[in-house]
Amino acid sequence: MAADMRLAAARKRAPGSLVSQDESKHLVAPGDVITTDTGFMRGHGTYTEDEKLMASVAGEVERVNKLICVRPLKTRFNGEVGDVVVGRITEVQQKRWKVETNSRLDSVLLLSSVNLPGGELRRRSSEDELAMRDYLQEGDLISAEVQSVFADGALSLHTRSLKYGKLGQGVLVQVSPSLVKRRKTHFHNLLCGASIILGNNGYVWIYPTPAQQDEEAGGFFTSTEPVPLCDREVISRLQNCILALSAHKVLLYDTSVLYCFESSLAHQIKDTLKPEVMEEIVMETRQRLVEQEG
Amino acid sequence: MATFSTAERKRRPHGDRKSSEMTLHLKQTFEAAILTQLYPRSQIDIYVQILQADGGNYSSCVNAATLAVVDAGIPLRDYVCACSAGFVEDTPLVDLSHVEESSGGTQLSLALLPKAEHLALVEMDARLHQDHLEGLMDAATRACKDLHAVLDRVVREHLQEVSTQLGE
């Protein structure tokens, strides 16, 4: 059987953008002087030296009134209150779980921040503490929301809603956090037949749309019924689309993922991993997105 | 250092004295440049592998690690550019190759933060007359500044490309 082999080579630079270049972006590198005006407050990505505001990361300067910060291109997830994240349990500690969310420090999921089975509202007892491992073990994936941020930057998560909780069968795709657009909702049931959770931390979870939408103890039990082949194909195609979009640095949100999926229907699923096919799909997606905006 | 990087195959690539010394130098250099107070209770690991060793091992490690740290979005005071310099038959040379290093002359390695001209690390082998030291350090500083121009250009091109792609 003939196999398709490829040798790694440097990626060709994009020939030119479809939209005209925006010259007003202020791009800086570490050590650049942003301004010598002392009236500004300094935000992330900057430091002061000799009354000069210098950049410490390579990225774009953002100015909001008197606050100047530099947003780097690629960074670990810096969570804010209200962000939806998808994380993996790394440790089970005395009254909390440690969750890995692609940020600088592991996030914390307190026992008091999860829903008890059956939806009871009571004080957590020592039996609940001992039963922690029955609910979430090391290696489980969860979807949660950021409740607060500790002083050192660690995030405190909560799953106190029926839509959050342990994730069952599906596929996880890891992209850079800066590619996930902040929207009102991050849970989407796509028309193509799968559902997707776009975590702000760059972890994207693709799963088959659950048959019944109402679950008594949200996210507590995970179904282990076998997923039909057509659903699996849709999920694989979506995964390849997301990988293509992230390779070409396109912002991820429900519309862009859906357009990319539709553009990729012309190719076989396994072809969508080839670089030239990826480029073609992403170009089509970009065009459609620009048409939709204009 | 990879086993195939030197002229003769290296039997033990890890744990020998030269590697440990280079590890320590790299650690000191980057502790001076990275704003570590923004990362409490955390550890930053930098892994460098030398594929072809033809002189200037420490300098190329520092330059590669600088680009990696800038790409990762870790806050730095400034780029760290490093270059080696030495005297070969009374002429100051920069960026020595392996043959020039092993000829027995003086060898100076300099790691510099180019904008403010802060020295992160200065290391010298063999003996050198005091009068020559300033000339040699000037030559190395100039070479580091040229290197900084190259690194800066590459970073800015990449920034421009990605921000255009993201902005669409």
Side-chain angles (χ1 to χ4, degrees):
Chain A
M1 201 173 87
D4 196 9
M5 245 185 62
R6 276 153 190 266
L7 295 174
R11 186 152 46 115
K12 289 192 289 281
R13 286 280 165 82
S17 49
L18 296 168
V19 188
S20 61
Q21 289 220 3
D22 189 9
E23 293 297 336
S24 59
K25 286 194 197 185
H26 189 185
L27 301 170
V28 289
D32 280 356
V33 177
I34 304 176
T35 177
T36 44
D37 189 357
T38 46
F40 289 106
M41 289 193 295
R42 60 175 195 84
H44 292 303
T46 60
Y47 68 99
T48 42
E49 200 179 293
D50 298 336
E51 294 207 0
K52 286 186 286 191
L53 197 64
M54 323 258 282
S56 60
V57 287
E60 203 183 317
V61 175
E62 278 183 357
R63 226 201 81 183
V64 181
N65 296 332
K66 284 281 190 185
L67 177 69
I68 290 192
C69 50
V70 183
R71 201 159 46 94
L73 282 184
K74 187 168 42 157
T75 173
R76 293 238 165 199
F77 173 56
N78 288 320
E80 281 157 40
V81 179
D83 283 349
V84 173
V85 291
V86 171
R88 200 180 278 277
I89 308 285
T90 50
E91 273 180 59
V92 182
Q93 295 185 342
Q94 275 211 309
K95 275 204 180 74
R96 57 196 195 169
W97 289 275
K98 284 283 185 155
V99 184
E100 189 253 316
T101 52
N102 199 21
S103 34
R104 289 195 326 256
L105 292 170
D106 276 345
S107 310
V108 164
L109 177 63
L110 296 171
L111 178 59
S112 49
S113 308
V114 302
N115 280 331
L116 288 169
E120 302 164 56
L121 294 171
R122 58 174 166 79
R123 208 188 174 98
R124 307 290 190 270
S125 61
S126 43
E127 281 111 39
D128 294 317
E129 230 181 288
L130 294 170
M132 274 173 79
R133 198 173 279 276
D134 298 329
Y135 176 29
L136 287 174
Q137 277 199 332
E138 288 90 338
D140 284 343
L141 277 172
I142 57 160
S143 66
E145 195 181 357
V146 177
Q147 188 174 35
S148 61
V149 183
F150 289 116
D152 55 7
L155 304 172
S156 179
L157 307 174
H158 78 89
T159 56
R160 302 216 72 170
S161 170
L162 289 180
K163 54 184 181 174
Y164 302 123
K166 185 154 78 163
L167 299 172
Q169 298 188 66
V171 168
L172 182 74
V173 186
Q174 295 173 337
V175 303
S176 168
S178 42
L179 291 176
V180 180
K181 197 167 178 180
R182 276 227 162 86
R183 302 281 244 156
K184 269 196 285 236
T185 167
H186 289 260
F187 292 78
H188 305 286
N189 285 339
L190 296 175
L191 299 165
C192 42
S195 300
I196 194 170
I197 304 179
L198 290 162
N200 286 94
N201 58 337
Y203 287 2
V204 179
W205 177 250
I206 316 170
Y207 59 108
T209 313
Q212 5 73 284
Q213 288 295 338
D214 42 0
E215 299 166 19
E216 333 83 63
F220 222 101
F221 68 103
T222 52
S223 72
T224 45
E225 328 174 347
V227 178
L229 181 63
C230 48
D231 280 350
R232 285 179 201 239
E233 287 186 352
V234 168
I235 292 176
S236 309
R237 195 179 277 279
L238 269 176
Q239 178 197 12
N240 292 349
C241 288
I242 292 181
L243 287 174
L245 288 172
S246 81
H248 290 263
K249 303 276 192 299
V250 178
L251 282 175
L252 291 172
Y253 52 109
D254 54 348
T255 323
S256 66
V257 173
L258 197 59
Y259 284 174
C260 194
F261 180 84
E262 287 167 8
S263 311
S264 76
L265 286 172
H267 306 269
Q268 278 202 321
I269 302 179
K270 55 182 190 230
D271 287 339
T272 50
L273 282 175
K274 296 185 186 163
E276 61 269 7
V277 175
M278 267 192 191
E279 213 178 306
E280 196 188 312
I281 298 175
V282 173
M283 291 271 276
E284 271 185 53
T285 312
R286 277 217 176 107
Q287 264 184 319
R288 280 185 71 182
L289 285 171
V290 167
E291 279 167 30
Q292 188 216 23
E293 280 170 35
Chain B
M1 292 180 73
T3 47
F4 47 81
S5 59
T6 41
E8 263 183 34
R9 197 181 173 83
K10 260 177 96 71
R11 206 80 66 79
R12 274 197 70 212
H14 312 288
D16 60 326
R17 208 149 51 94
K18 281 206 124 176
S19 303
S20 317
E21 199 185 336
M22 201 174 320
T23 308
L24 193 63
H25 287 326
L26 281 174
K27 177 167 165 286
Q28 285 175 342
T29 314
F30 281 97
E31 268 179 6
I34 297 180
L35 297 170
T36 46
Q37 63 267 29
L38 297 172
Y39 288 91
R41 304 189 290 121
S42 307
Q43 179 174 312
I44 300 175
D45 290 322
I46 301 179
Y47 297 98
V48 193
Q49 187 175 32
I50 299 180
L51 297 175
Q52 186 181 4
D54 188 14
N57 293 342
Y58 167 75
S59 317
S60 31
C61 286
V62 166
N63 294 328
T66 301
L67 278 179
V69 169
V70 168
D71 182 56
I74 297 179
L76 278 174
R77 251 184 215 105
D78 193 1
Y79 288 85
V80 188
C81 302
C83 196
S84 55
F87 261 102
V88 175
E89 290 180 14
D90 297 336
T91 355
L93 294 175
V94 288
D95 196 15
L96 306 169
S97 66
H98 182 64
V99 176
E100 289 158 356
E101 278 179 8
S102 39
S103 69
T106 327
Q107 187 197 340
L108 174 86
S109 291
L110 188 80
L112 186 74
L113 274 63
K115 289 271 165 57
E117 286 194 37
H118 289 318
L119 296 169
L121 186 131
V122 180
E123 183 204 9
M124 195 172 86
D125 289 334
R127 280 198 292 262
L128 178 70
H129 198 285
Q130 200 177 343
D131 298 337
H132 297 309
L133 178 64
E134 190 148 345
L136 201 58
M137 290 205 26
D138 278 340
T141 310
R142 257 176 292 129
C144 286
K145 292 227 174 101
D146 292 338
L147 256 171
H148 166 70
V150 175
L151 292 179
D152 201 30
R153 185 172 50 89
V154 169
V155 167
R156 276 181 213 278
E157 270 176 20
H158 179 73
L159 264 181
Q160 187 69 47
E161 192 190 329
V162 175
S163 67
T164 327
Q165 283 185 315
L166 262 182
E168 287 174 10

